[in-house]
Amino acid sequence: MTTALFTHPACLEHVTPQGHPEQVARIEAIEAVLAAPEFAPLDRRLAPRGALETIRKGHSKVYYDRIKAAMPDYGDAHLDPDTFMSPGSWEAALRAVGGAVAAVDAVMAGEITNAFVATRPPGHHAEKARAMGFCFFSNVAIAAIHAANEYDLGRVAVIDFDVHHGNGTQDVLWHESRVKFASSHQMPFYPFTGGIHQKGAFGQIINVPLEEATGGEVMREAYAEKVFPVLRDYDPELVVVSAGFDAHARDPLAGLQWETGDFAWLAHCICDLAADCCDGRVVSCLEGGYDLTALGESVGAYVKVMMERGA
């Protein structure tokens, strides 16, 4: 058993305007780090395209058709002030959904212990009927619902440690009783959701707001007290992670003060949870992270732990 890396060259064809933080270079920075000899044992797989029937687990066909129709033949198109499409964006978005779902299938089949899905565009801001925050489809929420449907799982845990609240994941999972969603995020901050009062239709949502300038020590205390004990009691059959690395102190878009080692700590804790509850099954999907050096270092530290724990 090992760790798989799911990605696809199509994710380099989702081109945003010059100066946009969610850029092609993010994947290139990750690829450069994961090309080091220590990552040679990764089981490298191409992310397949996500099918319409898969995407409909989180979005309507009307929404799917609207996003597809927005793809320009040249140049770029705006879905909102921050979210752009280029001629290659549709294919990239399908690969991002498909990679997340394929990783779930591989983990559930016992082919691998855990997986990291290095695709873009990210997904955790995409609501049921609205693209926003660089996101088109709710990749992680769709993967969690797919797992519940296809493998008859009654307890799937989703953890989101991106600096921004996963409003799209929350929206898609609001009425999903089979998935418990835990999110830590800077607050008040974009997208200005994620208060502790937002608990989901079944009380299955845990929001952990963190003040600006919160460092790793406070974050670790919050997870140790408010997230992992609840999830351990929940006893998940699979853990899916929105792995955003923009809480790093060097990230230009946010104000938390985590260091690279904090992401390794989270990886160990997530693997501890999965080892105790679900034979180590973890699927992590890339979300944010906009300082290229910090992103590469943090993904490398996170994936290294997944490899050590998945061996």
Side-chain angles (χ1 to χ4, degrees):
M1 298 277 274
T2 187
T3 297
L5 174 68
F6 286 81
T7 189
H8 197 279
C11 296
L12 300 172
E13 302 302 319
H14 168 48
V15 179
T16 52
Q18 186 174 2
H20 196 284
E22 208 297 280
Q23 57 183 301
V24 171
R26 297 181 67 232
I27 295 295
E28 294 173 337
I30 291 170
E31 289 178 341
V33 169
L34 298 185
E38 64 187 304
F39 297 104
L42 280 170
D43 181 349
R44 297 170 188 266
R45 303 187 180 194
L46 288 176
R49 300 179 96 209
L52 170 59
E53 56 267 27
T54 299
I55 294 170
R56 288 191 67 183
K57 294 178 172 73
H59 308 279
S60 69
K61 186 176 185 300
V62 170
Y63 176 81
Y64 173 96
D65 289 341
R66 177 157 52 87
I67 299 299
K68 184 177 182 180
M71 183 181 66
D73 293 328
Y74 57 88
D76 55 58
H78 295 240
L79 298 180
D80 81 349
D82 301 314
T83 310
F84 294 82
M85 291 190 81
S86 70
S89 297
W90 177 252
E91 182 70 16
L94 295 182
R95 298 288 178 174
V97 175
V101 170
V104 166
D105 289 338
V107 166
M108 293 305 300
E111 298 171 12
I112 54 176
T113 306
N114 57 55
F116 189 84
V117 185
T119 54
R120 53 184 290 276
H124 75 149
H125 291 311
E127 297 181 344
K128 287 181 179 180
R130 180 168 63 154
M132 60 181 288
F134 315 158
C135 303
F136 303 160
F137 298 125
S138 191
N139 306 324
V140 163
I142 290 168
I145 295 170
H146 170 81
N149 287 352
E150 298 300 316
Y151 301 99
D152 195 27
L153 303 185
R155 300 181 311 281
V156 178
V158 172
I159 300 170
D160 186 337
F161 56 77
D162 190 278
V163 78
H164 303 94
H165 179 240
N167 61 297
T169 306
Q170 177 173 283
D171 183 50
V172 173
L173 297 178
W174 189 266
H175 294 282
E176 179 50 74
S177 63
R178 301 169 297 175
V179 182
K180 188 175 285 289
F181 173 49
S183 173
S184 66
H185 41 274
Q186 182 178 331
M187 191 174 180
F189 198 45
Y190 181 90
F192 305 102
T193 55
I196 59 175
H197 64 286
Q198 297 174 352
K199 298 181 181 296
F202 303 95
Q204 82 283 19
I205 292 173
I206 307 164
N207 282 311
V208 183
L210 301 171
E211 294 183 0
E212 184 177 2
T214 293
E217 183 178 352
V218 173
M219 176 275 289
R220 295 183 190 206
E221 291 176 358
Y223 268 89
E225 295 174 5
K226 300 177 181 179
V227 176
F228 290 120
V230 175
L231 294 183
R232 190 163 274 102
D233 289 344
Y234 180 61
D235 194 25
E237 298 161 283
L238 172 70
V239 180
V240 187
V241 182
S242 272
F245 298 91
D246 41 6
H248 198 286
R250 297 203 301 270
D251 198 274
L253 297 192
L256 296 187
Q257 298 294 310
W258 302 4
E259 299 296 339
T260 301
D262 292 314
F263 297 104
W265 180 86
L266 278 167
H268 274 297
C269 291
I270 290 166
C271 288
D272 286 343
L273 171 69
D276 290 345
C277 300
C278 54
D279 296 325
R281 294 191 291 266
V282 181
V283 171
S284 303
C285 300
L286 179 66
E287 298 284 2
Y290 305 103
D291 179 281
L292 299 179
T293 301
L295 173 63
E297 291 175 357
S298 300
V299 169
Y302 185 90
V303 171
K304 184 176 181 181
V305 173
M306 288 290 160
M307 293 173 66
E308 292 169 355
R309 299 296 298 274

